[in-house]
Every structure is written in structure tokens, then in C-alpha cells.
């Protein structure tokens, strides 16, 4: 990736490196790490949100002797720091289970979704701030209208957080937007292995079950969208964002990828 | 196996230098050519947000925060090891010394672009420290009052190591022993080998 491969820089005449090139160089010089790690940590937010929920319920429910039993038994073991570390681990171990989350009652389920979304919101608004301060000359935040804000989300935010852009943006120019990501990156590898299920499901039921299990993962990008909008002057209570599954056009469906695309419906009300 | 371990560990040994260089080259090359990269700041910021949220949720019960971070790491570790083995195609380590070099020169390099120093081997040669100059995940972090001395901010790393090593039959205890965030001179993670899990080794190996 030498300078010569960038037309317009070498032939600039003035010899000055263009602002855009300057920005790219700065970005390249930033410390980097492996995208796999970043992606996996983002996905880990979902089981964590559930683990916190369960762990808090256990704490509240003083009478739940069965639930507390295993914990207190562990904590009577006298020990050094090593066993302490193990004890902490085992106390949260049992709750790592998405299938269980899907069967929780509505209150609990929604509370987990809310926790995921709120993490997404704070991460989204911070990432948005970072992208703004990076001073990419191709984005101007001055007098930014709603459509450019949405484009900023589709192109820049999505590219940085999920490694790809949103595939399709639709709007009615009155505050309603549809952002469609046909291959939402974090869920592409997900699949339910039929052999681990207790009962045999038809292919159709299996997909319904799979979609249900993956649903909590969609709450995170919803939070990201809201967080970015928030940081650019659209308060959380003026924004509604819902994620639903979208069918993929036939020619786009890849073997091994997740069977559905994601449709984010964003509704922004003005004051 | 114990014999070979004690012999190759007998010094901080020049004999192993070519091997270590090879591992370093492998780590550097994989990082440079086979890894999709993302700005480290995005990761730090995301991780920091998660830690902050946990501290808030557990209202200052930092032992539980540490546990939760460890658990996240464990979940990551058991899956990262697959990615790691697929990328590097490294064979089973024949000594724990080699394991330590693989962890520092390859694993940390490929995933976080860091190379912690391996130090503080104990006499039994089953425990070492990974020494980081600064806390690697906490560049712009300041602990809330009360958290210092209790919260291990980067405890996720311990979970990752524990999970990943367990998947290659090494039952280890992994914990922080010092952290620059707490005012220590360096950030150290101690890895202690409890035993090599035997179940997947064919009979007659010993």
C-alpha cells in the first residue's frame, strides 16, 4: 500500500498531502487489535446481561434457599485467593444459557433486553464522539440534517463497529427510516445444532427457534443507533428504533450464513 | 514428560533462543498478514463501558464484578483458542516454558498486538508472570474511589487465559497480582499450572 498506489497524491502538483490522505495516515498509525476479539466481546454482552439479571434476582430472593444453597456451600470452603477466583467463576457459570433466556417470563426478558440496549447506547454515543473527533474530512457535521446523520450511521459507524456498511437505507423524508443489513456481522456464524435439542424439530420450527434465540443480539445495534443519534442531538425519548428480521433476496443468501437479514425501523419525532 | 520439562527449563536458557525467535516471527507474521484489524480505542472504550456498567449494576460489589469479567473472558477463551490454533497450526507445547512463550509471543500478539514479558518463574517451574508495562486495556481509565484495591479492571484477560489453556488440557489458575491502575509498578498476571489434564492423551504416552 505505497503512496504511489494512491492517485492524486503523487500528482498533486503542490506536493501537499491531501487532507483525506492525512486522515487515512493518522488512522493507520492508530494502535490496532484483532477484529475477532472486538466482535466476540460485543457478542459476549448478551450472555453477560442475562448473567447479571439472574445474579441480581438470586441476591434479592433471600428466601430462595435452593438458589442460594449452592452459593453458600461454595463460600464456606476456606481458601486462598485461587479458590476465591474459582468460586466467583462457578457462581455465575450456570446462568450462561441463551436457551434459558428465551424461556424467561416477559419481565425478565425485557429487563435483559433493556440492559443490552443501554450498553449499546452508551457504546454508540462514545463511538460516535470518537468518529467526530477523528476529523474525517469527508464527513461534515456542520448543519447536518437527519438524512446525513443516518448516512453517517450506515457508512461510518457500521463500518467501524461491525466491519461492513448497512446494505440499504430507505426514508419517507418525514422522520421514518429503514436501515437494512442483510448480513449483520455478529450473528453470521450462529446456528442451532439440531442434535443437542431434546425433541426433533421440523426445519421450519428449527428456524423459528433459532430466530428466537438470536433475537436478544439485535437489541445491541438498536442501542448503537440510538446512542449515535443521541450524541448528535436527538434525545432518546424522541427516537424509536425496532429491529426485525428481513428476508434476504434469493441471490444474496450465502451458504452457511445467517438465514435472515435485519431491518432497523427508526422513527424520529421532532419537538 | 516431566523429565523433558525439567531439562529444557534448567536455565533461562540460550538453548531455547531459536525456538523463541521462531515463535516471535510466527506471531508477528500472523498479526501482520492474516488478521483483520480494528482501532484499539474502540475496543478499549467498549470494554471500559462494560466494566463501568457492571460496577454500577453491582453497586460497588467489586468481587462480583471481577467474577463477571472473568466469566466473560472464560467464554471468550474457550472459543479464541480454536481461532488461534487454526491460524497458527502450532503443535502441542511439550513444556510449560514453551506454553508461556506461545502465550506471550503468539497469542497476545495476534489478538491484542501486545507482547507481555514472561518473568518470575518459580522454583518448581510451574508458575510464571506475564508482565505488562501499563495495564493494557486501561489506557484512559481512572478507577472510581473505593474500587482501587478491589477491582481488577482487566480481569477479562485472566478468564481468557484460563478458558483457552483449559481447552488444551492445561488446568491453570490465572490471576492478577499487580496493576498499574492501583499504583503498582507494573501490571502482572500470574499463571500457575495445577495439572495437565489427561483425558485426551492416548494411553501409553507417558
Amino acid at each position: 500500500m505505497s503512496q504511489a498506489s494512491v492517485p492524486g497524491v503523487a500528482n498533486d502538483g503542490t506536493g501537499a498531502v491531501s487532507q483525506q490522505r492525512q486522515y487515512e495516515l493518522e488512522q493507520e498509525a492508530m494502535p490496532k487489535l484483532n477484529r475477532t476479539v472486538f466482535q466476540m466481546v460485543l457478542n459476549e454482552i448478551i450472555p453477560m446481561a442475562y448473567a447479571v439479571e439472574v445474579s441480581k434476582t438470586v441476591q434479592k430472593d433471600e428466601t430462595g434457599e435452593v438458589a442460594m444453597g449452592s452459593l453458600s456451600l461454595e463460600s464456606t470452603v476456606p481458601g486462598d485467593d485461587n479458590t476465591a477466583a474459582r468460586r466467583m467463576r462457578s457462581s455465575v457459570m450456570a446462568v450462561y444459557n441463551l436457551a434459558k433466556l428465551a424461556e424467561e417470563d416477559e419481565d425478565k426478558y425485557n429487563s435483559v433486553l433493556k440492559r443490552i440496549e443501554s450498553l449499546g447506547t452508551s457504546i454508540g454515543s462514545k463511538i460516535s464522539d470518537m468518529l467526530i473527533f477523528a476529523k474525517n474530512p469527508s464527513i461534515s457535521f456542520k448543519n447536518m440534517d437527519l438524512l446525513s446523520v443516518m448516512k453517517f450511521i450506515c457508512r461510518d459507524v457500521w463500518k467501524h463497529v461491525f466491519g461492513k456498511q448497512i446494505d440499504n437505507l430507505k426514508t419517507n423524508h418525514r422522520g421514518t427510516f429503514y436501515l437494512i443489513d442483510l448480513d449483520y456481522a455478529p450473528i453470521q456464524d450462529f446456528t442451532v445444532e439440531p442434535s443437542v435439542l431434546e425433541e426433533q424439530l421440523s426445519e421450519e420450527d428449527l428456524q423459528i427457534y433459532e430466530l428466537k434465540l438470536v433475537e436478544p443480539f439485535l437489541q445491541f445495534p438498536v442501542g448503537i443507533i440510538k446512542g449515535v443519534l443521541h450524541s448528535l442531538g436527538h434525545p432518546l425519548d424522541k427516537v424509536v428504533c425496532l429491529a426485525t428480521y428481513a428476508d434476504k433476496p434469493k441471490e444474496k443468501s450465502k451458504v452457511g450464513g445467517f438465514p435472515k437479514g435485519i431491518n432497523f425501523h427508526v422513527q424520529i419525532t421532532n419537538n | 514428560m516431566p523429565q523433558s520439562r525439567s531439562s529444557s527449563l534448567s536455565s533461562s536458557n540460550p538453548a531455547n533462543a531459536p525456538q523463541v525467535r521462531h515463535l516471535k516471527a510466527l506471531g508477528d507474521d500472523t498479526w501482520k498478514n492474516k488478521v483483520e484489524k480494528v482501532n484499539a480505542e474502540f475496543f478499549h472504550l467498549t470494554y471500559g463501558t462494560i466494566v463501568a456498567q457492571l460496577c454500577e449494576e453491582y453497586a460497588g460489589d467489586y468481587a462480583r464484578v471481577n467474577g463477571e469479567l472473568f466469566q466473560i473472558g472464560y467464554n471468550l477463551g474457550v472459543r479464541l483458542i480454536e481461532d488461534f490454533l487454526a491460524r497458527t497450526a502450532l503443535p502441542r507445547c511439550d513444556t510449560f516454558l514453551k506454553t508461556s512463550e506461545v502465550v506471550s509471543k503468539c497469542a497476545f500478539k495476534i489478538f491484542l498486538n501486545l507482547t507481555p514479558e514472561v518473568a518470575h518463574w518459580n522454583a518448581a517451574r510451574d508458575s510464571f508472570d506475564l508482565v505488562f508495562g501499563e495495564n493494557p486495556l486501561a489506557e484512559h481509565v481512572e478507577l472510581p474511589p473505593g474500587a482501587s484495591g478491589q477491582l481488577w479492571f482487566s480481569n477479562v484477560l485472566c478468564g481468557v487465559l484460563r478458558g483457552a489453556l483449559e481447552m488444551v488440557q492445561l488446568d491453570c489458575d490465572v490471576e492478577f497480582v499487580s496493576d498499574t491502575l492501583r499504583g503498582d509498578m507494573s501490571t502482572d498476571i500470574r499463571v500457575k499450572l495445577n495439572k495437565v489434564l489427561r483425558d485426551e492423551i492416548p494411553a501409553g504416552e507417558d
Side-chain angles (χ1 to χ4, degrees):
Chain A
M1 303 304 132
S2 65
Q3 268 86 345
S5 69
V6 184
V9 173
N11 311 326
D12 206 8
T14 63
V17 180
S18 74
Q19 262 190 325
Q20 185 66 34
R21 184 65 189 142
Q22 176 86 37
Y23 165 76
E24 281 163 20
L25 285 173
E26 271 172 30
Q27 288 298 305
E28 270 169 45
M30 300 268 264
K32 298 276 193 286
L33 50 73
N34 195 326
R35 180 171 281 282
T36 314
V37 174
F38 181 52
Q39 191 62 75
M40 282 171 84
V41 167
L42 290 184
N43 275 352
E44 214 49 49
I45 286 175
I46 285 81
M48 181 208 84
Y50 183 39
V52 171
E53 180 70 28
V54 172
S55 152
K56 283 186 131 178
T57 329
V58 171
Q59 191 181 30
K60 264 187 229 155
D61 188 10
E62 293 290 348
T63 52
E65 280 180 27
V66 183
M68 292 300 291
S70 61
L71 287 178
S72 53
L73 191 127
E74 290 268 356
S75 50
T76 54
V77 179
D80 53 15
D81 282 353
N82 287 344
T83 56
R86 285 229 195 111
R87 188 172 68 232
M88 284 188 299
R89 190 163 81 79
S90 60
S91 70
V92 286
M93 189 80 172
V95 296
Y96 175 60
N97 197 336
L98 288 173
K100 257 169 87 187
L101 172 59
E103 287 159 12
E104 287 287 358
D105 63 64
E106 220 174 311
D107 282 358
K108 241 186 201 174
Y109 187 78
N110 287 336
S111 154
V112 173
L113 290 197
K114 225 175 123 190
R115 182 171 289 120
I116 296 168
E117 184 184 317
S118 99
L119 259 165
T121 308
S122 38
I123 292 171
S125 94
K126 284 177 195 163
I127 283 186
S128 169
D129 289 351
M130 267 181 66
L131 290 173
I132 294 167
F133 282 108
K135 292 197 178 142
N136 183 345
S138 64
I139 320 172
S140 163
F141 291 92
K142 225 177 214 172
N143 309 321
M144 205 179 198
D145 64 353
L146 203 46
L147 184 61
S148 347
V149 173
M150 290 320 246
K151 283 184 180 164
F152 169 67
I153 293 175
C154 293
R155 285 193 197 126
D156 303 273
V157 175
W158 232 251
K159 186 103 213 308
H160 280 95
V161 182
F162 302 118
K164 73 180 283 283
Q165 299 186 1
I166 287 268
D167 294 300
N168 198 340
L169 170 65
K170 291 178 187 163
T171 176
N172 68 352
H173 297 287
R174 286 193 209 92
T176 304
F177 295 86
Y178 290 97
L179 289 67
I180 299 163
D181 190 344
L182 294 175
D183 309 292
Y184 176 57
I187 59 172
Q188 286 312 303
D189 296 337
F190 288 8
T191 181
V192 174
E193 174 59 47
S195 62
V196 303
L197 298 177
E198 281 171 22
E199 48 186 332
Q200 208 165 9
L201 295 176
S202 69
E203 202 161 308
E204 204 176 314
D205 287 344
L206 188 67
Q207 194 182 68
I208 293 173
Y209 182 61
E210 184 173 279
L211 295 180
K212 174 78 184 155
L213 290 193
V214 173
E215 227 172 58
F217 287 79
L218 308 187
Q219 215 57 31
F220 180 72
V222 163
I224 294 274
I225 292 175
K226 284 187 165 180
V228 175
L229 287 168
H230 180 64
S231 84
L232 288 167
H234 299 275
L236 296 177
D237 57 352
K238 304 277 186 209
V239 177
V240 178
C241 180
L242 297 169
T244 49
Y245 290 113
D247 287 322
K248 289 191 191 187
K250 275 239 165 58
E251 66 274 13
K252 289 266 186 150
S253 57
K254 276 183 255 170
V255 181
F258 197 75
K260 296 278 185 184
I262 313 298
N263 183 2
F264 298 98
H265 176 186
V266 186
Q267 181 78 49
I268 297 167
T269 44
N270 284 319
N271 308 323
Chain B
M1 199 146 86
Q3 288 87 346
S4 72
R5 180 181 300 147
S6 53
S7 65
S8 68
L9 276 172
S10 51
S11 64
S12 56
N13 46 58
N16 262 326
Q19 206 182 33
V20 171
R21 244 199 322 269
H22 168 71
L23 288 175
K24 186 168 183 329
L26 176 69
D28 289 354
D29 180 62
T30 311
W31 163 254
K32 221 180 251 166
N33 301 316
K34 295 186 188 158
V35 166
E36 202 190 331
K37 300 170 187 69
V38 62
N39 275 354
E41 282 200 337
F42 287 120
F43 178 78
H44 294 157
L45 172 153
T46 302
Y47 182 69
T49 310
I50 293 173
V51 180
Q53 173 107 357
L54 282 172
C55 290
E56 201 178 304
E57 300 259 12
Y58 287 135
D61 185 347
Y62 294 109
R64 293 176 88 183
V65 177
N66 288 340
E68 211 66 73
L69 294 174
F70 191 96
Q71 182 63 39
I72 293 174
Y74 184 86
N75 296 340
L76 293 172
V78 296
R79 282 178 290 146
L80 274 176
I81 185 75
E82 284 180 37
D83 189 88
F84 177 75
L85 294 175
R87 272 179 218 272
T88 58
L90 276 168
R92 184 181 291 270
C93 295
D94 44 11
T95 64
F96 199 48
L97 176 81
K98 184 158 179 212
T99 306
S100 72
E101 294 296 340
V102 169
V103 167
S104 122
K105 307 277 185 310
C106 296
F108 269 95
K109 179 70 191 176
I110 291 171
F111 292 118
L112 294 180
N113 190 21
L114 296 166
T115 330
E117 196 187 327
V118 178
H120 309 153
W121 281 96
N122 65 353
R125 298 291 191 180
D126 60 3
S127 152
F128 63 88
D129 286 0
L130 292 165
V131 179
F132 301 84
E134 294 288 324
N135 187 320
L137 302 181
E139 212 168 311
H140 308 293
V141 170
E142 207 176 299
L143 294 184
S148 190
Q150 297 190 59
L151 176 69
W152 293 115
F153 184 86
S154 301
N155 214 29
V156 70
L157 295 177
C158 297
V160 169
L161 286 166
R162 157 92 209 178
L165 292 171
E166 196 174 291
M167 288 296 117
V168 290
Q169 277 81 50
L170 298 171
D171 175 5
C172 299
D173 281 327
V174 187
E175 58 184 352
F176 270 98
V177 287
S178 67
D179 185 348
T180 48
L181 270 188
R182 296 181 170 199
D184 297 322
M185 289 302 286
S186 62
T187 304
D188 297 8
I189 295 177
R190 176 155 304 150
V191 182
K192 163 124 181 36
L193 178 68
N194 293 325
K195 60 171 186 283
V196 180
L197 302 169
R198 287 278 160 186
D199 42 1
E200 282 195 14
I201 298 173
E205 173 106 332
D206 241 14

